[in-house]
Amino acid sequence: MILIEILFKISYYLLYFYMLCLIITGILSLVGANPSNPIVGFLNALTSPPCRFLTRKFPRLLVRSQHGYFDLSPIVLILIIGCLMIIIQTIANHLGFYV
């Protein structure tokens, strides 16, 4: 039973870390950070493949404005990850684990 609790905690905190990476990447894109920075490159490499996948599947996530396009796929990913975190917490609580 301890192994199951550890798996729930690891999956929950990995999703939390990924959500933080998405938020930080969004903030850095608004600020206009240098993409040659290793941290920015790591965050872009970590978050851009799922964002590109969502944009390809749902092209309406690109919203056109006067200055170009806004990509709403990180917001959708944050919502999906939040729902997955709630599901993991609910299942763990029903099994008697604390996450």
Side-chain angles (χ1 to χ4, degrees):
M1 291 303 258
I2 297 290
L3 181 64
I4 296 172
E5 184 176 5
I6 291 171
L7 288 175
F8 275 115
K9 285 186 179 189
I10 288 173
S11 61
Y12 181 82
Y13 288 119
L14 280 175
L15 286 172
Y16 186 75
F17 172 74
Y18 195 75
M19 184 188 299
L20 285 177
C21 288
L22 281 167
I23 292 170
I24 292 169
T25 303
I27 291 170
L28 289 176
S29 71
L30 289 175
V31 173
N34 186 4
S36 64
N37 186 336
I39 295 173
V40 176
F42 169 74
L43 289 173
N44 284 337
L46 191 65
T47 58
S48 64
C51 290
R52 275 189 269 130
F53 174 77
L54 276 177
T55 305
R56 268 188 280 132
K57 292 294 179 184
F58 305 103
R60 294 244 185 209
L61 290 175
L62 287 176
V63 178
R64 187 173 182 183
S65 72
Q66 294 175 346
H67 305 290
Y69 287 95
F70 290 117
D71 187 13
L72 299 179
S73 59
I75 297 171
V76 173
L77 274 176
I78 289 172
L79 291 173
I80 291 170
I81 290 172
C83 290
L84 287 174
M85 289 171 67
I86 291 171
I87 290 169
I88 288 173
Q89 253 185 340
T90 305
I91 292 172
N93 286 339
H94 282 305
L95 291 176
F97 303 131
Y98 175 73
V99 176

